[in-house]
Amino acid sequence: MAEKLEAVRGHLLPEEDLAQYRERQDPSRRVEFALVWRTPQDDTLEERLLARKPSLSREAFAQAFTWDQALKERAGKWLTQGGLQVVKTGPFILWLAGRMDQIEQTLGTRFVEKDGHFMMAQEPQVPDWLHPAIVGFVGLENVSRLYPHYRPPERMDQLANNGQGFFPADIVRAYQFPKGLGAGLTIGLLEFSNGYNAKDLEAFWDQFAIPAPSLTFVSVDGTSNDGGVNPWDLEATLDVEWCGAVAPEASLVVYEASAGSQDSSFGLSVLKALDYAYQDATNCPDILSISYGDGETRFPVATMRAWDSVIRNSAAIGMTVFVASGDEGAYGLHGPGRLICHVDAPANCPHAVAVGGTHLIVNAADQIVLETGWTDTDNNGASGGGISQIFAVPPYQAGIELPVKAGYHAGRGVPDVALNADPDTGYPAFFQGAWTVVGGTSCSSPIWAALLARIAGKAASLSQEVLGYVNPALYDLGPTPAFRPITSGNNSYGGVVGYECTPGWNAVTGWGSPYGKRLEDGLLSRPE
């Protein structure tokens, strides 16, 4: 008797013009992809996270929140009956590969292509007994891409330190970071075809008299460290230099994966990197930072939900994930697109901490004189933020007034927090043997990761746990002196009218920038 099939929604790219694509030409073209499992007790897991239950070991979490082996084996048998191959199995992801014609036959779908890129023209189908158990598939298109969130300054006269940008000590003093330096913590930095040169890093840390932190390079999928020889390698260099400068006693791990190609999916690379970090029992990262993204309309919904499922699972084992909110303001897209508001992904993932940007001015003693939302004044970008049209309002945002524009519906608000990111104030980086100045939420995200490492080190010394699903705690502290509210500025950009900085939470800077020591005190005083 034939299986009853059901379509799995969320795999198409509605922003793409199907008329510009043709039917796939080569049936033997090989595609890697993944099936991502739901947890059978989604509500129970969410309640556990909100109740701040102690984090679980990877083994205990998998045992409590995965499907039984019989269902997984049945799924594997069904998926491989037409020639698809199981590449690797994990507790929450089944990694697969096969020819395009095999995928079309098995999943009842149809590939189309353009200029070497491919996507599906109809939703995949699975048996009705499998449908409730999966988030969906990732990797069945290679059109969507993520971009690094840094940019050069437009006005050199506004740069801190007479054109050099803010030094690490300036940021630590201005935001009153706590004394801890991250000892005992491990911060993972997710990079995509983006390498670094160890001599550049050493020169940066030497300039600011910072002891070189422990640094480990991990290739997620065979992608090597190219040594920082390409222009786009500035992203990895910036992440490592600044994260190491602010939390020099933390261990840093660079998780390197492919940025996608004509034969592979960038969305799949992000999933691989997140899952590798989750599974990494050798380096055991406590905190992750991601400085890449693009507007959420440019990704399949199933891909974004799959990313968030891994981020949520990571929170359950005590890992916190920070994501840059983007540098294109409320427009949110890299390159031309519809002139409407777009929230950046993966910053839209509700189990991640989305980090926006501000414009910071300090005096000679590094005391904050003025801090506004990062606003586009001279085509210098703006803080990414807005209201997701993919993810629902998460519980920690249920009590705040979200600025939902006409024609949009309520959803997860972005960002959650902020920190200086305007390139016209600038951060120095030593890259390819020379100094340069950049900005963007690629700076604010790893610095927030380093701040949490400093706080978590103090927490560990007191046998307290602050890592994991930290969003509810941040929102509890949002209206308190742990944050500096940002009430001036906006994130209009690219012809799109954005959001205003208002008292309380706003869609430009979230709750604002941190008073680091007060934030530490607030997180450590929360009842268990």
Side-chain angles (χ1 to χ4, degrees):
M1 184 168 139
E3 300 270 17
K4 181 183 177 183
L5 301 180
E6 293 185 17
V8 186
R9 305 296 177 189
H11 295 82
L12 305 184
L13 292 167
E15 294 287 309
E16 291 294 309
D17 182 2
L18 192 59
Q20 299 296 316
Y21 285 74
R22 64 178 183 177
E23 297 299 315
R24 63 112 178 99
Q25 300 297 295
D26 182 4
S28 66
R29 186 174 183 179
R30 186 174 171 83
V31 175
E32 277 189 85
F33 66 108
L35 177 151
V36 180
W37 298 100
R38 296 185 187 276
T39 54
Q41 308 92 2
D42 272 346
D43 291 344
T44 302
L45 175 54
E46 198 66 31
E47 290 170 4
R48 179 184 178 85
L49 291 170
L50 290 170
R52 300 183 65 242
K53 298 287 187 181
S55 58
L56 297 170
S57 68
R58 290 169 175 82
E59 296 75 18
F61 180 73
Q63 185 174 7
F65 290 100
T66 192
W67 294 94
D68 64 82
Q69 194 60 30
L71 176 68
K72 291 184 174 183
E73 289 177 358
R74 186 181 180 189
K77 183 177 180 181
W78 180 82
L79 285 162
T80 57
Q81 64 183 342
L84 295 178
Q85 298 172 328
V86 173
V87 177
K88 185 174 62 172
T89 61
F92 302 102
I93 301 177
L94 181 64
W95 305 93
L96 300 152
R99 296 159 46 113
M100 278 191 167
D101 58 352
Q102 294 169 335
I103 297 171
E104 289 174 331
Q105 179 182 0
T106 302
L107 299 180
T109 187
R110 179 168 61 89
F111 283 106
V112 292
E113 62 182 39
K114 179 181 73 172
D115 300 329
H117 290 91
F118 62 86
M119 66 178 190
M120 287 183 295
Q122 57 195 63
E123 299 281 17
Q125 300 179 72
V126 299
D128 56 356
W129 52 264
L130 179 57
H131 191 279
I134 66 173
V135 175
F137 298 95
V138 178
L140 295 176
E141 58 82 28
N142 69 345
V143 176
S144 60
R145 299 192 60 78
L146 286 80
Y147 298 86
H149 287 319
Y150 67 83
R151 57 172 60 213
E154 294 292 329
R155 292 187 57 182
M156 305 301 288
D157 61 297
Q158 295 185 0
L159 291 172
N161 290 311
N162 297 314
Q164 300 175 85
F166 283 110
F167 301 156
D170 299 331
I171 295 298
V172 168
R173 286 193 291 262
Y175 290 116
Q176 301 176 26
F177 279 14
K179 292 181 179 179
L181 299 176
L185 277 294
T186 298
I187 303 172
L189 303 168
L190 272 57
E191 308 293 345
F192 302 95
S193 296
N194 207 297
Y196 57 85
N197 187 315
K199 290 184 178 180
D200 285 344
L201 309 182
E202 292 166 5
F204 180 88
W205 293 323
D206 285 348
Q207 174 66 26
F208 299 110
I210 295 167
S214 168
L215 175 62
T216 301
F217 178 87
V218 174
S219 178
V220 170
D221 57 6
T223 303
S224 63
N225 177 11
D226 63 12
V229 299
N230 294 299
W232 52 82
D233 291 326
L234 179 54
E235 179 58 70
T237 303
L238 177 68
D239 288 346
V240 176
E241 287 178 351
W242 271 89
C243 200
V246 178
E249 293 184 9
S251 297
L252 306 183
V253 181
V254 170
Y255 292 99
E256 188 75 40
S258 167
S261 68
Q262 291 192 349
D263 296 315
S264 63
S265 160
F266 206 145
L268 187 68
S269 290
V270 176
L271 185 70
K272 285 181 179 179
L274 285 168
D275 185 63
Y276 194 108
Y278 168 84
Q279 301 278 3
D280 189 359
T282 299
N283 296 294
C284 298
D286 302 287
I287 302 165
L288 300 181
S289 179
I290 304 173
S291 294
Y292 298 74
D294 199 4
E296 64 181 8
T297 59
R298 288 192 166 159
F299 301 97
V301 171
T303 294
M304 294 181 283
R305 294 196 183 281
W307 293 340
D308 188 61
S309 71
V310 182
I311 294 171
R312 180 202 58 190
N313 295 350
S314 299
I317 65 169
M319 193 186 306
T320 301
V321 180
F322 290 91
V323 186
S325 74
D327 301 349
E328 288 73 36
Y331 172 59
L333 297 179
H334 284 260
R338 295 175 64 199
L339 294 181
I340 61 173
C341 292
H342 302 85
V343 172
D344 216 65
N348 61 349
C349 292
H351 293 90
V353 181
V355 184
T358 67
H359 176 97
L360 178 68
I361 299 175
V362 302
N363 61 20
D366 285 327
Q367 297 170 323
I368 295 178
V369 175
L370 177 68
E371 190 170 23
T372 63
W374 174 18
T375 303
D376 177 29
T377 56
D378 49 13
N379 196 34
N380 61 323
S383 178
I387 305 299
S388 173
Q389 300 299 284
I390 303 300
F391 290 102
V393 178
Y396 54 83
Q397 291 186 329
I400 63 177
E401 185 175 347
L402 295 168
V404 182
K405 291 178 177 286
Y408 298 78
H409 60 75
R412 188 267 202 266
V414 173
D416 301 303
V417 297
L419 194 137
N420 181 64
D422 189 342
D424 286 354
T425 60
Y427 290 88
F430 196 80
F431 179 59
Q432 297 181 344
W435 289 98
T436 187
V437 179
V438 295
T441 51
S442 278
C443 302
S444 52
S445 181
I447 293 175
W448 255 97
L451 168 60
L452 186 61
R454 294 171 76 122
I455 294 172
K458 174 70 173 293
S461 71
L462 299 173
S463 299
Q464 294 188 34
E465 186 175 17
V466 299
L467 296 170
Y469 191 34
V470 73
N471 303 53
L474 294 176
Y475 276 73
D476 286 348
L477 295 171
T480 76
F483 284 91
R484 176 179 292 98
I486 309 298
T487 58
S488 176
N490 64 72
N491 65 352
S492 298
Y493 187 72
V496 173
V497 177
Y499 301 85
E500 296 292 325
C501 291
T502 57
W505 183 93
N506 62 67
V508 183
T509 62
W511 286 109
S513 62
Y515 283 96
K517 184 61 174 67
R518 295 179 189 173
L519 181 64
E520 178 182 78
D521 292 342
L523 288 173
L524 296 184
S525 66
R526 284 172 53 81
E528 294 295 326

